[in-house]
Amino acid sequence: MKYPVCREIRGNSPAYITLLLILGALIAAGLGAALYMEHEGHHVTGMTNQIVWGTPHVFAVFLIVAASGALNVASISSVFGKVVYKPLAPLSGLLAVALLVGGLVVLVLDLGHPDRLIVAMTHYNFKSIFAWNIFLYNGFIAVVAVYLWLLMERKMNAYSKMAGMVAFVWRLILTTGTGSIFGFLVARQFYDEAIMAPLFIVMSFSFGLAMFILVLFVAFWGSERPLGEVIVDRMRRLLSLFVLSVLFFVAIFHLTNLYATEHHGIEAFILRDGGIYTQMFWFGYVIIGSLLPLALLNLPGGARAELVAVSAGLVVVGGLAMMYVIIIGGQAFPLVIFPGYEVSSTFADGVVNAYKPSLPEFLLGLGGVAFALAIVAFAVKILRFLPLSLADQDVDPHFKANPAAAAAATRA
Amino acid sequence: MEQNDNNIDQYRRRFLERSTAVLAGGVLAPGVFLHAIAQARPVDEAVSGKVRWGMLIDSNKCKTGCDKCVKACETENGLNRTGNPLTDAQWIRKVSLKDKQTGRTASLPLLCQHCAEPPCVDVCPTGASFKRADGIVLVDKHICIGCRYCMMACPYKARSFVHEDVTDQKSYAPRGKGTVESCTFCVHRVDKGESPACVSACEEKAMVFGDMNDPQSELSQLLREVQSTEIRGDLALNLGVRYQGI
């Protein structure tokens, strides 16, 4: 097969400049919000002593989970040897790093002491999965950076398969670490589950691919490069499979909880009585984020890039809703400290914890997304991340423009 | 002349009497004081694992509506209320319980349980959450980055995040905006051989503080005699705070 040709985008169109300006404004707003929160203290946010992780964490965890998933396309090419995906591998690696950086920036800027980042880098408690994650996140950036170099430097290309394998294994461990942040919370009724790690891995497949599809399609449409049906159809089928897989894991998660009486309270809260969290789960995640995209992706008539892009957008919306349910819904349900008792106190014991997302939190989260996208937008202009063409004949070595004609030619 | 000698004798006698009194006081008083606080540790001696500080709270004695322990804690540790209960720090709180099946009610103070296996210490990425050798769980305010993972991990919601600037801090109980804090068992008092402020303030004597490792301590003797409970004992964290009557 031909070596895929990647080229920088020209990056001087009004649309590109506008995109950079919008992203820049969002980043500035996010930084301003972080400065405000840091200066005033977290009482200006919706977070409290009961809801200790809020909207910034929804964005941050979503971005970190999506980051590892965004690398899938590169893994399918390098690890599983699917040549069709080879031209997409550089963008896949770039997006993975960018999303991770975006998520980490949000996470760090939400700390009570972002100024003590150096402390987090020099003091480690190795019993903490958080401490391990610091290594896993930094290591991921380093591993993917090396992998990208091997991919893009033709002389070193032979080693890219090995690096791709390392990156693939690393990303699985990384998402295991992210899921285990919640899985290891022994006292919390909604989190203390081993399934959290595999659930997060499968969510990363879905949310990461959705982000990848959006970035790829927008970049191709924006730079007016050909996007063939073969790639679109591959993306369509892959996203369908991943969305279904997440639904399966979510179903198992809730079914297991529903079987155990001690978890009936939290399950009734999330699935039935939780107000905004119940709506987020059923309407946000299940209907808008899963069933609707599944329907759109599997409409008769084959792959249409616009429908795949819309579906990917819906999966992202559903993913954010799911993160909201997991992170905030899980904390909103009153912590069971005295099983079998009705409890009340001055510290919100026994009541559903109120949480109202504040503008600074939202801006910080959005700023992280904008930062990730700005990294991609800038990188594709200065380095050769984007293939010149994803037209069918360029990606598929066995592509026949017109099967009937080809068959006739063979017979003749 | 004789008169003068008598005067000198009187002065000498008075001087000797007073010196002896001062000397005796100086020698004996610390001994008496130290005897009263026999468990106090010299400041230059490292905290020892031979001691494990703990507490027994009798919810039968704890009066519903009484919050003297809470007030004493706030005063002692400089926890000023800002008027926003959702973000104000609460190191100790009064909890009212009602058994869903039997309707039996109880009232008790809930504070950091000073677990032997504290989940907050396990999850802290920097090691800012730590447990002293004598079992007191603390936060090192200098290396706490304010991630709040310990608050997610604590089974008792015993920790608070400092959401805004703090004023009128006590030198012995430093606080800091953007860090997490919780009950210290009034470590500054315990190190001087005193009881935590909440224990001293409880007029019902519902809280008994002492060394769980010393078989002769009042606490150990009580724990041997009465049936006590660990909250969320299923988590097997070996708590420093035990309850009676629930």
Side-chain angles (χ1 to χ4, degrees), chain A residues 39 116 128 181 342 349, chain B residues 93 98 123 141 144 149 177:
Chain A
H39 184 72
R116 289 185 184 167
S128 167
I181 289 175
E342 277 172 26
D349 285 293
Chain B
R93 63 188 190 268
K98 184 180 173 193
V123 302
K141 304 294 188 326
C144 173
Y149 196 20
K177 182 178 76 176

Side-chain angles (χ1 to χ4, degrees), chain A residues 52-227:
Chain A
V52 302
W53 289 348
T55 305
H57 302 81
V58 172
F59 278 97
V61 177
F62 176 85
L63 286 170
I64 291 169
V65 165
S68 50
L71 192 70
N72 273 342
V73 171
S75 301
I76 295 171
S77 152
S78 290
V79 179
F80 302 104
K82 303 284 183 200
V83 287
V84 174
Y85 291 87
K86 197 169 169 65
L88 299 175
L91 181 69
S92 164
L94 168 68
L95 182 64
V97 170
L99 290 175
L100 185 66
V101 170
L104 290 181
V105 165
V106 176
L107 212 53
V108 166
L109 288 179
D110 173 76
L111 291 176
H113 268 287
D115 52 309
R116 289 185 184 167
L117 188 59
I118 188 72
V119 173
M121 298 289 178
T122 49
H123 290 68
Y124 289 104
N125 163 29
F126 287 108
K127 199 175 175 185
S128 167
I129 188 67
F130 240 32
W132 282 102
N133 279 345
I134 294 171
F135 283 101
L136 291 172
Y137 296 155
N138 289 329
F140 181 79
I141 293 171
V143 165
V144 176
V146 170
Y147 173 49
L148 278 176
W149 172 60
L150 297 176
L151 266 181
M152 295 167 77
E153 171 58 63
R154 217 179 271 203
K155 279 183 289 188
M156 305 299 288
N157 214 239
Y159 301 100
S160 68
K161 189 177 167 61
M162 200 169 57
M165 179 66 89
V166 172
F168 178 64
V169 172
W170 197 284
R171 64 124 308 190
L172 289 179
I173 299 173
L174 182 146
T175 325
T176 303
T178 311
S180 298
I181 289 175
F182 298 94
F184 287 178
L185 289 171
V186 293
R188 295 259 174 183
Q189 280 69 37
F190 199 50
Y191 298 138
D192 176 28
E193 313 267 359
I195 201 175
M196 278 293 179
L199 173 65
F200 270 58
I201 289 178
V202 79
M203 284 197 302
S204 82
F205 288 176
S206 177
F207 306 163
L209 183 65
M211 288 297 283
F212 180 80
I213 289 171
L214 286 175
V215 167
L216 176 74
F217 286 16
V218 169
F220 262 67
W221 290 330
S223 58
E224 293 173 350
R225 297 183 184 191
L227 186 63

Side-chain angles (χ1 to χ4, degrees), chain A residues 361-384:
Chain A
E361 287 172 86
F362 188 71
L363 288 179
L364 174 58
L366 217 53
V369 179
F371 188 52
L373 296 178
I375 292 174
V376 175
F378 184 67
V380 295
K381 180 177 162 67
I382 58 162
L383 287 171
R384 296 175 176 181

